[in-house]
Amino acid sequence: MAAIQEAEGPGFSALPEGCIAKVVSLTSPADACRLATLSPDFKSACDSDVVWASFLPPERPQTVSRSVSSLKGLYFSLCDDPVLIGDGKMSYSLDRHSGKKCIMLSARALSITWGGTPVYWSWTCLPNSRFTEVAKLIDVCWLEIRGMISSGMLSPETHYAAYLVFKITPASHGFEFQPVEVEARFAGDEAGKREHSVYLSRENNNTHGWQSWRRFRHAGGSLMLAPAEGSGNYPKERRDGWSEIELGEFLTKEGQDGEVEMSVMETKGGNWKAGLVVEGIEIRPKDGK
């Protein structure tokens, strides 16, 4: 055994901690966490600021100043607890797997048609929202929500997706059988135009749903065949208690600084809608990529 060990020479863990840290810094946050389990020497190197400085974006918001003992602690703090930026109208966080930037536009940062008219929309605070205000739909027949973000605020060379973050109240109506049109793309990119239909409510078989359907038919709406569950056309529950639906996806490139436009529209059905609570639109890496 001794002869074999001598023939093999010293292992990778025999390298100075600084060398190990330099190599690990060229990998990813997920790789660093896995490598830290190999040995105490690896853990010390993988937890070092040299490694985690390479995973943190260099242009972090000035508001990021937290009581953490290491850059690794700062990294995971930004993953788990978003920082408010832009006068509190946006939030900044990091994708846990890749370290890429995630930005969420609050409802106040969006353009909501009739959003300033109290008979149609109201503004309120909810304890489980990261923002001071959310928008609550009282009653409209024309739903139009638009958002815009500069790709320069995001990480380059990243496959992003945009998500509407919202709730549907128990007293909601008008969304059970009426799809909404959603989209996310670079402004002026007609080739990348991929508007598609999604549903914001899953309630289409209960008594309340059938009452809404009768109102919908009375308003002259036309019933569409809903897509099957699991098709991506229905909202998903988030860990923070909100729901989300994907609006679209796009790719950022190095040196590119274009405007990404996002929209949620229902202007064709003509039926009245109520009970939608909008927290904002989140832009984050698609599947952590």
Side-chain angles (χ1 to χ4, degrees):
M1 179 63 72
I4 294 176
Q5 291 177 338
E6 183 178 353
E8 290 177 344
F12 185 61
S13 60
L15 292 172
E17 181 178 308
C19 292
I20 298 175
K22 181 62 177 178
V23 172
V24 175
S25 71
L26 301 176
T27 61
S28 70
D31 289 332
C33 291
R34 284 191 288 265
L35 290 170
T37 65
L38 294 180
S39 70
D41 290 336
F42 262 78
K43 178 173 175 54
S44 178
C46 292
D47 289 350
S48 69
D49 283 353
V50 172
V51 170
W52 291 91
S54 68
F55 300 148
L56 286 164
E59 63 286 1
R60 296 189 297 277
Q62 295 298 318
T63 53
V64 177
S65 57
R66 294 179 166 175
S67 300
V68 292
S69 59
S70 66
L71 292 185
K72 180 180 179 181
L74 176 61
Y75 177 92
F76 285 108
S77 174
L78 289 173
C79 293
D80 298 332
D81 188 14
V83 176
L84 294 183
I85 60 175
D87 297 325
K89 295 181 180 180
M90 296 186 286
S91 73
Y92 172 101
S93 60
L94 298 180
D95 177 74
R96 177 178 286 268
H97 177 79
S98 65
K100 301 295 183 70
K101 288 184 273 187
C102 308
I103 301 291
M104 186 167 174
L105 307 178
S106 72
R108 278 295 188 190
L110 305 176
S111 173
I112 302 177
T113 299
W114 306 114
T117 307
V119 70
Y120 297 125
W121 289 85
S122 67
W123 294 87
T124 185
C125 60
L126 291 180
N128 66 336
S129 174
R130 67 184 68 180
F131 302 112
T132 57
E133 286 184 302
V134 297
K136 183 177 181 180
L137 174 59
I138 297 179
D139 218 11
V140 297
C141 62
W142 183 287
L143 177 68
E144 183 175 359
I145 302 172
R146 296 184 180 274
M148 182 175 291
I149 187 172
S150 168
S151 62
M153 294 186 67
L154 305 172
S155 298
E157 302 299 331
T158 303
H159 183 193
Y160 274 98
Y163 302 84
L164 178 71
V165 182
F166 67 99
K167 289 178 181 288
I168 293 290
T169 68
S172 68
H173 65 79
F175 294 105
E176 297 85 354
F177 297 95
Q178 180 64 60
V180 299
E181 302 298 317
V182 299
E183 187 178 29
R185 65 184 175 98
F186 278 96
D189 181 15
E190 292 300 319
K193 190 171 183 177
R194 290 185 294 273
E195 187 177 76
H196 62 285
S197 299
V198 299
Y199 289 83
L200 300 185
S201 175
R202 293 179 178 272
E203 295 186 32
N204 53 15
N205 292 319
N206 57 24
T207 301
H208 178 67
W210 285 110
Q211 291 172 346
S212 296
W213 177 77
R214 284 196 293 270
R215 286 195 296 268
F216 176 60
R217 294 291 291 175
H218 181 71
S222 57
L223 186 61
M224 296 180 64
L225 182 63
E229 291 281 345
S231 63
N233 295 80
Y234 290 96
K236 296 180 179 179
E237 295 297 318
R238 293 162 53 99
R239 290 183 300 175
D240 59 8
W242 291 80
S243 296
E244 68 178 26
I245 190 77
E246 184 178 318
L247 308 183
E249 53 192 76
F250 57 93
L251 178 66
T252 58
K253 297 181 180 180
E254 189 72 49
Q256 180 188 50
D257 191 10
E259 297 293 327
V260 178
E261 299 176 334
M262 300 152 288
S263 62
V264 179
M265 306 274 292
E266 203 299 287
T267 60
K268 300 175 182 177
N271 61 307
W272 288 84
K273 296 164 281 290
L276 172 68
V277 181
V278 178
E279 184 180 33
I281 294 179
E282 184 175 49
I283 303 97
R284 67 175 188 262
K286 175 82 171 180
D287 301 324
K289 298 178 181 179

